[in-house]
Every structure is written in C-alpha cells, then in structure tokens.
Amino acid sequence: MKWLILILGIASNASASILIKISMMPPRKFPSLGEPIVALSNWPFWLGLGLYGLAFLFYAAALTRLPLNVAHPVLTAGAVASVALCTVVIFREPLYWTTAAGILLVIAGVALITARVA
C-alpha cells in the first residue's frame, strides 16, 4: 500500500506538471486577474493546480508509512523521470543520451536509498 501511495503521488505530480505546461502554450495565457474569464477558462491550469494538491496529499500519506529519507527521493525522482519521459511523447521534446543516463542514475540512486525499506 505504501508504494501504491507513492506511485499515485508520482502520477499526480507528473500529470500536474504536464498540464501546467499545456496551460501555458498558445492560445492559452497565464491566468491573470485582469482577464478573469480567460483565467477561469484555462482548465489545464486549474486541473494541474488541483493535481499538485492531490500529489501533496499522497506525499503526506506516504510519510505516515515511510521514512522521509525514502518517501521524498522516491516521489521527487519518480516525478522527474516521469516528466522527462512524458515530454518526449506528449511534446515531442528530444531525449538526449545525457537525460536518459541521468534518469538511469537517479533510479539507481533511489534503488540504493530504498533497498532496506522494502
């Protein structure tokens, strides 16, 4: 259950980041008080903001079941790796070999951190 909570936190965090990026792409604009209708109609922004809140709740729930020095690196690294891979598929951003190597190194580091917690 503790790992499922972290996986849901990672998915929420990564999805929020992707939605915030989508919300800033034309024709959408950053929500501003000067244009409240535009701000209210930018649904990817509000959904992304809500998913960040949900990710925080999953993180808090994970902290009741896992040590901080495990939950935080797993959630953070998982979100970073997920976003890096999703941007290749969704936004057609390039995946450089250095990015792929960095993701693998981060995964290896987190695996070492969590090895005794299983």
Side-chain angles (χ1 to χ4, degrees):
M1 185 65 154
K2 59 189 172 188
W3 299 110
L4 176 62
I5 292 169
L6 274 178
I7 290 169
L8 292 172
I10 290 167
S12 299
N13 189 303
S15 298
S17 293
I18 298 297
L19 284 165
I20 297 297
K21 171 70 173 178
I22 290 169
S23 76
M24 297 298 115
M25 295 171 68
R28 295 181 178 94
K29 294 192 246 179
F30 185 76
S32 70
L33 295 176
E35 298 176 282
I37 300 301
V38 172
L40 292 174
S41 66
N42 193 343
W43 65 267
F45 176 81
W46 298 108
L47 183 56
L49 189 63
L51 283 172
Y52 274 130
L54 186 61
F56 178 79
L57 293 176
F58 282 127
Y59 177 60
L63 290 176
T64 65
R65 294 164 174 83
L66 290 164
L68 177 61
N69 67 352
V70 172
H72 185 75
V74 170
L75 186 84
T76 306
V80 168
S82 298
V83 168
L85 295 174
C86 285
T87 60
V88 173
V89 175
I90 296 169
F91 302 115
R92 306 276 188 241
E93 293 181 1
L95 180 66
Y96 299 106
W97 74 267
T98 52
T99 304
I103 290 170
L104 291 175
L105 288 171
V106 166
I107 290 170
V110 170
L112 289 172
I113 289 170
T114 61
R116 294 192 181 255
V117 179

